[in-house]
Amino acid sequence: MFTKLYTEKMQIVGLVALIILAGLVVWRYPMLQTASIISPISGETFRSDQLMEIRWTPGNPGIRMIELVPQSGSLITIYQTSVFAYPITDTSGSFSFVPSARGVPPGQYHIRIYNANSSDYSVTTNPIRIVLPQSPMVPVVVQSPNGGETYALGGPIKISWSGGKNKVWVGIAKAEYFVGGTYPLMAFITKDAAPNGSLMWDGKLCVLPGDCRPVTYWQPDGSVKVVVVSENADGDYCTQSPDRPCNIDASDGPFAVKSATVAPSPAPLTPKPTAVIPTPFIARPKPTTVPAPTIKPKSVQPTRPGSGKDNNLPSEVQRNPIISDDNMVPDFNPPERPGILGRIWGTLRFWLGF
């Protein structure tokens, strides 16, 4: 009985001693674990003159080296515990440096850290960005069209803006668009405009590569907005971003681009009737035909041939007819009778034969 009790006590003492020993071993020689990167892991952007911190799981086993892996080119070692001795571990859990001071050029890099007790390493999923120092962002603002205007399709439609940095992108969105929302742009007109500039737009958009059509093809009512984008403080061009501000602006309200309407031809003008004033007609009296008077022959006494002053005339020639007073015409005058001397001279000529 005593032996049995003694045996049980010794088993309990041995178990306690084993537990204490195991605790001492774990405390003195912790279980091996992999050092994992804590930050940065979300594709953050850093300026080349900015202090950058890399953090990993602190404590044993620690790390022995940190590298930056570029998308192309050679690896860049930014930290190493010892060049000649191995393993010398770093269990602090963080390391800070200035990229430009370590000769790191701008670009995108993955971070890789190596465990002190093995060849294993931990690497970031998303690359970080290192950029050159940037001057303050210059906000870009739409000046026109800024809402309420109406333009004819085929233009020219003047689009102008103020501000911007480096380049300005100019795009067109539907009337529902607003800055900060998720409604997409229809298309960009240009991505190569200058700050504080303007351009002339003809109302056409290349929504698909090589397929340029009037904006009314995609937006029948022609109600659209202008959207301008420029560099932000990080040197990025973005139209929406939840983690950094974009340098973007849009028309305050929609404006309209309408198809040109052809005006109907004016109706031909019908001349008003002109009042005709009759020309007075002067009736002329009809000519009255006066019948020729009837001339009665008068017997003529025969004369000798060669006698009188009419001796050269044939004897058949009669004297002028004597017209009666009843048939006289006012325009005829009776022949004058020769005087006394004429008659005497005629008689002498007749008798003397000359």
Side-chain angles (χ1 to χ4, degrees):
M1 179 89 175
F2 175 78
T3 303
K4 184 178 181 180
L5 291 175
Y6 177 78
T7 302
E8 290 178 352
K9 288 181 180 180
M10 290 303 295
Q11 290 177 346
I12 293 174
V13 171
L15 181 60
V16 171
L18 182 61
I19 293 174
I20 293 172
L21 180 61
L24 291 173
V25 172
V26 172
W27 174 77
R28 179 65 183 83
Y29 302 102
M31 294 181 64
L32 297 179
Q33 59 182 349
T34 301
S36 300
I37 298 173
I38 297 176
S39 69
I41 58 174
S42 300
E44 292 88 337
T45 299
F46 301 91
R47 297 195 310 268
S48 60
D49 61 345
Q50 176 184 1
L51 182 65
M52 175 181 173
E53 182 185 25
I54 299 175
R55 296 176 58 236
W56 67 90
T57 307
N60 289 329
I63 66 167
R64 58 184 175 87
M65 187 167 59
I66 301 175
E67 291 179 337
L68 295 181
V69 184
Q71 290 184 327
S72 62
S74 303
L75 297 173
I76 302 175
T77 300
I78 61 171
Y79 177 72
Q80 190 171 8
T81 56
S82 177
V83 178
F84 304 104
Y86 182 84
I88 298 176
T89 62
D90 185 340
T91 59
S92 64
S94 69
F95 174 76
S96 298
F97 71 103
V98 177
S100 60
R102 304 309 285 278
V104 179
Q108 293 187 346
Y109 299 90
H110 286 277
I111 301 172
R112 182 187 294 174
I113 62 173
Y114 291 85
N115 291 327
N117 55 5
S118 70
S119 60
D120 295 336
Y121 60 83
S122 175
V123 65
T124 56
T125 303
N126 299 319
I128 63 170
R129 295 185 61 195
I130 297 178
V131 298
L132 291 172
Q134 299 292 322
S135 57
M137 182 178 70
V138 181
V140 63
V141 179
V142 173
Q143 296 296 322
S144 66
N146 208 26
E149 300 89 345
T150 300
Y151 299 93
L153 187 63
I157 303 171
K158 184 177 182 180
I159 299 175
S160 61
W161 58 89
S162 63
K165 180 183 175 184
N166 193 10
K167 298 295 183 180
V168 175
W169 298 1
V170 181
I172 300 296
K174 294 184 178 181
E176 296 83 0
Y177 178 88
F178 64 92
V179 175
T182 58
Y183 205 94
L185 276 68
M186 298 172 67
F188 281 102
I189 300 172
T190 181
K191 290 186 176 181
D192 197 32
N196 300 305
S198 64
L199 58 79
M200 291 297 179
W201 180 45
D202 61 359
K204 294 182 180 179
L205 289 178
C206 300
V207 174
L208 301 175
D211 185 10
C212 301
R213 304 189 185 191
V215 68
T216 51
Y217 178 84
W218 291 279
Q219 183 71 355
D221 65 354
S223 184
V224 292
K225 290 182 179 180
V226 169
V227 180
V228 290
V229 183
S230 193
E231 280 191 7
N232 62 8
D234 296 330
D236 297 332
Y237 290 83
C238 60
T239 57
Q240 58 178 1
S241 176
D243 58 351
R244 65 186 188 276
C246 296
N247 191 3
I248 185 170
D249 189 42
S251 302
D252 293 340
F255 60 94
V257 180
K258 301 292 185 180
S259 299
T261 56
V262 179
S265 302
L269 298 176
T270 304
K272 295 181 179 181
T274 304
V276 178
I277 301 175
T279 304
F281 176 77
I282 302 174
R284 297 182 179 181
K286 295 182 178 181
T288 304
T289 304
V290 180
T294 304
I295 302 175
K296 295 180 180 182
K298 188 177 180 180
S299 59
V300 181
Q301 295 295 328
T303 58
R304 295 181 180 178
S307 63
K309 67 176 182 179
D310 298 327
N311 55 357
N312 295 325
L313 300 174
S315 59
E316 290 80 8
V317 177
Q318 301 178 355
R319 293 179 178 270
N320 293 330
I322 300 173
I323 301 173
S324 64
D325 295 338
D326 297 335
N327 297 323
M328 291 181 61
V329 179
D331 296 335
F332 287 84
N333 294 321
E336 294 182 359
R337 297 182 63 184
I340 186 65
L341 293 178
R343 291 197 299 271
I344 295 172
W345 173 249
T347 301
L348 289 176
R349 290 182 61 190
F350 177 75
W351 292 108
L352 293 178
F354 62 88

